[in-house]
């Protein structure tokens, strides 16, 4: 990624796009899974598209703006505003006030971003402009979209979503609908379904599962490292790197775990080493689980676009995590993921009501989300698949260093793998990269003769 890239973006005044036809004016309650403190923030997403000669003469700004108005007829709650009721209960006032839309032009071509397009992105604030007064969770637009034309004929589609409305799967469903209508369809192939009551608390509510992710700490809004002098690096893991990590496991376990599990456990352990925490410091990994998955199998209708995320946590101490081999961290990750069931999801909804919608535990936590299968890259507005599609930056709720995403990526060699952005203090990051790089190189040497070079991509802000 060309981090030194500088360019100018000329933006027209933000406008509101409203549904192209009248839509119901009503109040829609969010679910009790949607309505938790840890989802009250904005998600930034960015998509890069190449010029397509088959689309010559068509303006992506015009195409997407017109399609957006038509798409909002089906997804009309996105054109409304969030209100807060008794007990901090969130609801959507479906009032057709509209989605914020920005038309822009940049004096740069797609190739100027380099061959490896991934976070961090230069001039992100220009490509996804924070319209003053628009970023609060309550009483503001639920979506902000900016389409920026590039000199080469390509464009950048950037979006900011109020996370209480949807998770990555729900957002991609909406974006695919927008893409389908941009390509000329009269309606989405998947009809959106609200039905948020399916994930409301039971009557009476009852917490029936253990939820380490919502345990209180002395300073639940703090972190275990200072938030100044933060740097951003991105790691690439392809087949070679994953194979090297698997060699750290007992031979009979090397094929028993998913890539997400072993990479998450590996990075959690070496992140903890780099942080140089007291041995008795409690640390936890929070693995975001999509309850739409077959293993959980929530009975939700096709087209449901609300949040279905669980955040099970594994808890140990820094000393135990560091002193034990990787298989210890891996067992904790697998146990946390496996704890998510239908009953677990209902227990979370009940806990939200009983404990006044708490935030998940921040102190000592490392939160990991896998969006490799979310489908961001496949969103097509008529110009084909995105060169890069997905989260625009690492971090959860604006807290640097707390979270990282597993993002699908193809490197310059054509290898399919994933990239993982990290935010950490500069000295911690130096130690982290040194640890990760040395272990990978040593194990790559063992499993691939004559190839001692790791494919870690390191890029800074």
């Amino acid at each position: 990624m060309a981090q030194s890239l500088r360019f100018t973006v000329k933006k027209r005044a933000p406008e509101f796009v409203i549904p192209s036809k009248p839509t119901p004016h009503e109040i829609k309650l969010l679910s009790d899974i949607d309505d938790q403190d840890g989802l009250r923030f904005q998600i930034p997403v960015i998509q890069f598209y190449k010029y397509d000669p088959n689309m010559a003469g068509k303006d992506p700004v015009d195409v997407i703006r017109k399609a957006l108005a038509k798409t909002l007829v089906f997804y009309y709650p996105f054109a409304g505003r969030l209100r807060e009721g008794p007990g901090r209960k969130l609801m959507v006032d479906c009032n057709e006030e509209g989605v914020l839309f920005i038309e822009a032009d940049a004096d740069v071509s797609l190739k100027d971003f380099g061959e490896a397009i991934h976070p961090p992105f230069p001039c992100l604030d220009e490509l996804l402009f924070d319209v003053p007064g628009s970023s609060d969770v309550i009483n503001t637009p639920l979506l902000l979209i900016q389409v920026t034309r590039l000199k080469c004929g390509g464009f950048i589609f950037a979006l900011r979503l109020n996370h209480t409305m949807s998770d990555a799967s729900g957002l991609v469903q909406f974006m695919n609908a927008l893409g389908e209508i941009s390509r000329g369809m009269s309606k989405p192939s998947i009809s959106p379904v609200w039905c948020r009551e399916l994930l409301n608390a039971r009557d009476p509510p009852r917490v029936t599962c253990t939820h380490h992710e919502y345990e209180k700490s002395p300073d639940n809004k703090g972190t275990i490292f200072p938030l100044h002098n933060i740097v951003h690096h991105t790691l690439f893991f392809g087949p070679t790197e994953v194979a090297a990590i698997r060699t750290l496991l007992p031979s009979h376990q090397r094929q028993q775990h998913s890539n997400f599990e072993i990479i998450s456990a590996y990075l959690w352990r070496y992140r903890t080493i780099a942080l140089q925490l007291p041995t008795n410091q409690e640390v936890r990994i929070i693995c975001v689980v999509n309850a739409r998955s077959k293993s959980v199998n929530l009975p939700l209708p096709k087209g449901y676009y609300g949040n279905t995320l669980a955040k099970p946590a594994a808890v140990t101490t820094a000393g135990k995590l560091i002193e034990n081999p990787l298989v210890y961290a891996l067992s904790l990750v697998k146990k946390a993921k496996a704890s998510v069931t239908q009953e677990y999801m209902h227990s979370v909804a009940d806990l939200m009501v009983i404990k006044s919608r708490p935030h998940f535990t921040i102190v000592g936590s490392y939160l990991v989300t896998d969006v490799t299968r979310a489908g961001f890259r496949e969103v097509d507005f008529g110009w084909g698949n995105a060169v890069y599609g997905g989260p625009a930056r690492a971090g959860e709720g604006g807290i640097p260093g707390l979270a990282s995403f597993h993002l699908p990526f193809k490197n310059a060699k054509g290898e399919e793998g994933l990239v993982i952005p990290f935010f950490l203090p500069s000295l911690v990051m130096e130690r982290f990269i040194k640890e990760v790089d040395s272990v990978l190189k040593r194990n790559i040497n063992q499993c691939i003769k004559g190839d001692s070079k790791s494919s870690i991509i390191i890029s800074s802000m």
Side-chain angles (χ1 to χ4, degrees), residues 16 23 43 61 81 124 171 173 193 211 220 264 277 300 302 322 350 372 397 450:
F16 286 107
T23 58
I43 307 174
V61 172
R81 300 292 181 268
L124 178 60
L171 175 58
Q173 179 183 308
V193 175
H211 297 287
N220 200 35
S264 297
L277 302 172
L300 297 173
K302 185 177 182 180
I322 294 168
D350 293 351
T372 56

Side-chain angles (χ1 to χ4, degrees), residues 78-290:
F78 279 133
R81 300 292 181 268
L82 275 191
R83 314 296 186 203
E84 191 174 58
R88 301 181 69 218
K89 181 66 179 177
L90 291 180
M91 59 199 75
V92 183
D93 179 2
C94 301
N95 56 17
E96 296 185 302
E97 286 190 23
V99 167
L100 266 177
F101 186 90
I102 302 169
E103 174 182 350
D105 292 274
D107 62 349
V108 68
S109 295
L110 187 61
K111 63 179 178 58
D112 297 322
F113 286 88
E115 291 185 1
I117 298 180
H118 58 70
F121 298 106
C123 303
L124 178 60
D125 292 341
E126 290 296 306
L127 297 171
L128 185 57
F129 179 61
D130 181 10
V131 177
S134 71
S135 58
D136 289 343
V137 172
I138 309 295
N139 304 322
T140 60
L142 297 171
L143 280 172
L144 182 153
I145 293 173
Q146 180 173 330
V147 183
T148 304
R149 304 179 191 90
L150 303 175
K151 286 197 308 181
C152 58
F155 65 96
I156 297 171
F157 174 94
L159 175 149
R160 191 186 70 195
L161 167 73
N162 187 316
H163 200 343
T164 62
M165 289 291 289
S166 299
D167 54 20
S169 297
L171 175 58
V172 169
Q173 179 183 308
F174 167 77
M175 291 170 65
N176 278 327
L178 177 57
E180 289 172 339
I181 293 176
S182 295
R183 302 196 310 270
M185 291 178 59
S186 60
K187 63 180 182 179
S189 59
I190 298 176
S191 298
V193 175
W194 189 258
C195 289
R196 305 292 172 107
E197 69 280 359
L198 294 174
L199 289 178
N200 276 348
R202 296 169 286 198
D203 186 15
R206 52 197 185 275
V207 178
T208 53
C209 300
T210 301
H211 297 287
H212 293 302
E213 65 272 31
Y214 297 107
E215 291 173 342
K216 288 187 176 181
S217 60
D219 179 12
N220 200 35
K221 292 291 184 181
T223 60
I224 55 176
F225 52 80
L227 297 181
H228 60 272
N229 199 22
I230 297 289
V231 295
H232 189 172
H233 287 292
T234 301
L235 307 180
F236 172 77
F237 289 87
T240 302
E241 290 70 43
V242 175
I245 297 173
R246 289 187 186 277
T247 64
L248 298 172
L249 302 173
S251 57
H252 66 282
Q253 291 195 23
R254 289 177 185 172
Q255 303 306 318
Q256 296 178 2
H257 314 287
S258 70
N259 287 352
F260 173 80
E261 291 165 348
I262 66 166
I263 293 171
S264 297
Y266 174 77
L267 293 178
W268 180 33
R269 185 171 184 269
Y270 285 100
R271 177 182 180 272
T272 304
I273 291 171
L275 285 169
Q276 295 183 344
L277 302 172
T279 56
N280 64 347
Q281 168 73 52
E282 187 176 85
V283 293
R284 67 191 69 212
I285 187 169
I286 299 175
C287 299
V288 177
V289 174
N290 187 343

